[in-house]
């Protein structure tokens, strides 16, 4: 099967790595040789001049055949123990990918009991790649920018009744640059990012891999609506489950039956509210977005939840960061385990 042609297919982020793989018949992504090679060439894995002959030989063998078996004895023969541990980690990841047969199947199974421990950065990279697959051919820049929440940490700022989300890594880099500039020019201390809007939406595609556009994420604004549609597409892609998601200003159902936190902080807050616990105001995170999810495939839902909505929440932590966990949308839904 041919690999994805980025320009023809409308690939959004080259950094996602879609050029390294291809779609299978079910539209999930293959665990290809080139995809695996990308992990072998990571700085933690790629041999350096001082690496031993065994490590160099192992690297060359894996580059020639990314699926080549590697025994514990092969790793034990590497002189650098840290390098051997890094190889063991990447090969454990490789074996998990190969065993599951696709990027999507490997991703969702990482959150099942007994799954191998994988570095968080690998999980984010998988979410990035999968979201790129879901959005192939997407022409709405707001949708593409909202999708960054699924794999990039965000910093939230509120001013003038607006809530803006900006890429946390970009903000941190700009802040460091501003601090250096302030040493020579005290007036240059701001870290403002350009905001994605209708007039400049076409600019997004040329700079998508820079992640340097802020998103207006207020209720009733296109950012939240785009995010709601992405939740629907994410769930449909993985679970073949139809849902309808609607942004909310508040949850008025005092006896809600099910909720899903879209990040660790939202999960903590919603669990506490559901159980009637007191939440201190100081030094805590806060909910910044709420959504109502309606299940359109009622026969797939637990009987006690049928014809009832689930409420979704997203929160900033005490440091104004949003760290979304998109896997929560796959593993925390009230689905009948016999019908999944």
């Amino acid at each position: 099967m041919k690999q994805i042609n980025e320009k023809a297919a409308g690939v959004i982020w080259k950094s996602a790595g879609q050029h390294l793989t291809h779609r299978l018949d079910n539209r999930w992504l293959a665990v290809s040789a080139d995809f695996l090679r990308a992990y072998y060439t990571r700085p933690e894995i790629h041999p350096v001049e001082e690496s031993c002959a065994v490590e160099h030989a192992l690297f060359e063998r894996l580059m020639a055949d990314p699926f080549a078996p590697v025994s514990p004895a092969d790793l034990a023969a590497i002189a650098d123990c840290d390098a051997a541990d890094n190889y063991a980690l990447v090969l454990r990841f490789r074996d998990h990918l190969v065993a599951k047969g696709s990027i999507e199947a490997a991703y969702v199974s990482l959150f099942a009991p007994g799954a191998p421990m994988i570095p968080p950065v690998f999980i984010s990279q998988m979410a990035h790649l999968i979201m790129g697959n879901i959005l192939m051919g997407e022409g709405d820049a707001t949708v593409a920018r909202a999708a960054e929440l699924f794999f990039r940490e965000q910093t939230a700022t509120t001013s003038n009744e607006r809530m803006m989300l900006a890429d946390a890594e970009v903000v941190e880099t700009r802040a460091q640059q501003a601090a250096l500039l302030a040493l020579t020019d005290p007036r240059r201390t701001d870290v403002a990012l350009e905001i994605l809007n209708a007039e400049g939406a076409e600019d997004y595609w040329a700079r998508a891999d820079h992640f340097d556009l802020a998103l207006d994420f207020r209720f009733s604004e296109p950012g939240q609506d785009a995010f709601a549609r992405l939740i629907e597409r994410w769930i449909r892609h993985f679970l073949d489950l139809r849902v309808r998601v609607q942004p909310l200003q508040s949850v008025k159902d005092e006896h809600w039956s099910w909720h899903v936190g879209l990040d660790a902080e939202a999960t903590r807050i919603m669990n506490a509210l559901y159980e009637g616990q007191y939440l201190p105001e100081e030094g805590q995170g806060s909910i910044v977005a709420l959504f109502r999810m309606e299940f359109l495939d009622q026969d797939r839902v637990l009987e006690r939840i049928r014809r009832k909505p689930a409420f979704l929440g997203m929160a900033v932590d005490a440091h104004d960061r949003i760290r979304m966990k998109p896997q929560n949308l796959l593993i925390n839904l009230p689905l009948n385990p016999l019908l999944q």
Side-chain angles (χ1 to χ4, degrees):
M1 189 177 292
K2 293 182 179 180
Q3 291 186 331
I4 294 168
N5 181 302
E6 295 176 39
K7 185 174 181 180
V11 171
I12 298 173
W13 308 284
K14 184 176 178 60
S15 57
Q18 284 171 267
H19 59 291
L20 302 174
T21 183
H22 58 264
R23 279 177 168 171
L24 300 169
D25 291 341
N26 65 353
R27 301 182 70 81
W28 287 5
L29 295 172
V31 181
S32 67
D34 284 342
F35 179 79
L36 295 177
R37 287 189 181 100
Y39 281 88
Y40 302 150
T41 55
R42 288 180 60 90
E44 306 92 335
I45 298 297
H46 198 295
V48 295
E49 186 176 351
E50 296 79 14
S51 299
C52 70
V54 172
E55 184 179 344
H56 279 283
L58 175 59
F59 174 77
E60 295 300 332
R61 176 151 62 96
L62 289 171
M63 291 299 288
D65 178 9
F67 302 93
V70 179
S71 70
D74 293 330
L75 298 179
I78 296 176
D80 186 332
C81 293
D82 290 337
D85 289 343
N86 290 340
Y87 269 97
L89 186 152
V90 168
L91 291 169
R92 186 164 61 246
F93 179 49
R94 176 200 70 173
D95 292 344
H96 178 76
L97 288 165
V98 173
K100 298 304 176 181
S102 71
I103 305 299
E104 281 89 342
Y107 174 84
V108 73
S109 63
L110 284 173
F111 312 105
M117 295 296 294
I118 300 298
V121 65
F122 286 12
I123 297 174
S124 296
Q125 288 168 351
M126 294 174 76
H128 188 184
L129 177 57
I130 294 165
M131 185 53 79
N133 182 31
I134 293 172
L135 294 188
M136 281 180 60
E138 177 61 53
D140 189 325
T142 302
V143 171
R145 174 59 184 89
E148 294 176 20
L149 275 73
F150 282 69
F151 55 88
R152 301 275 302 186
E153 184 177 327
Q154 305 290 307
T155 294
T157 58
T158 54
S159 62
N160 300 322
E161 298 185 352
R162 305 178 77 182
M163 187 178 75
M164 309 305 300
L165 301 185
D167 189 90
E169 183 179 339
V170 172
V171 170
E172 185 175 345
T173 300
R174 297 279 180 91
Q176 292 172 351
Q177 294 171 344
L180 290 174
L181 290 172
L183 294 175
T184 55
D185 185 353
R187 297 169 296 177
R188 303 186 64 176
T189 58
D190 51 333
V191 193
L193 266 65
E194 185 179 342
I195 300 170
L196 179 67
N197 54 38
E199 293 73 24
E202 284 304 309
D203 294 340
Y204 178 86
W205 309 110
R207 57 201 286 186
D209 284 297
H210 298 297
F211 306 108
D212 60 353
L213 284 169
L215 178 68
D216 188 338
F217 208 65
R218 288 174 294 173
F219 176 75
S220 79
E221 291 299 317
Q224 276 203 20
D225 184 69
F227 185 74
R229 303 288 78 74
L230 286 164
I231 292 173
E232 295 170 352
R233 293 167 73 173
W234 179 262
I235 292 173
R236 186 70 180 268
H237 182 73
F238 276 97
L239 304 177
D240 194 24
L241 176 72
R242 296 178 304 134
V243 299
R244 181 180 295 123
V245 180
Q246 174 186 357
L248 296 176
Q249 281 189 298
S250 62
V251 175
K252 297 180 180 179
D253 185 348
E254 296 181 358
H255 305 287
W256 74 55
S257 300
W258 200 272
H259 63 270
V260 178
L262 299 179
D263 53 83
E265 190 67 11
T267 298
R268 182 190 68 80
I269 294 171
M270 296 185 82
N271 285 347
L273 293 174
Y274 184 79
E275 295 168 4
Q277 297 178 5
Y278 169 75
L279 286 171
E281 295 183 3
E282 298 298 326
Q284 300 287 328
S286 60
I287 297 290
V288 294
L290 289 167
F291 303 88
R292 181 184 189 273
M293 177 185 290
E294 177 185 356
F295 297 96
L296 304 183
D297 296 326
Q298 286 288 312
D299 59 330
R300 299 274 303 278
V301 181
L302 291 173
E303 187 171 355
R304 65 184 178 87
I305 306 298
R306 290 179 185 175
R307 292 170 294 279
K308 297 179 181 179
F311 296 101
L312 316 178
M314 174 174 285
V316 294
D317 63 17
H319 304 287
D320 294 325
R321 295 289 184 97
I322 295 175
R323 300 175 175 88
M324 185 185 174
K325 292 188 173 183
Q327 65 268 26
N328 289 1
L329 290 166
L330 308 177
I331 61 176
N332 292 339
L333 296 182
L335 302 183
N336 187 330
L338 299 179
L339 298 176
Q340 292 190 47

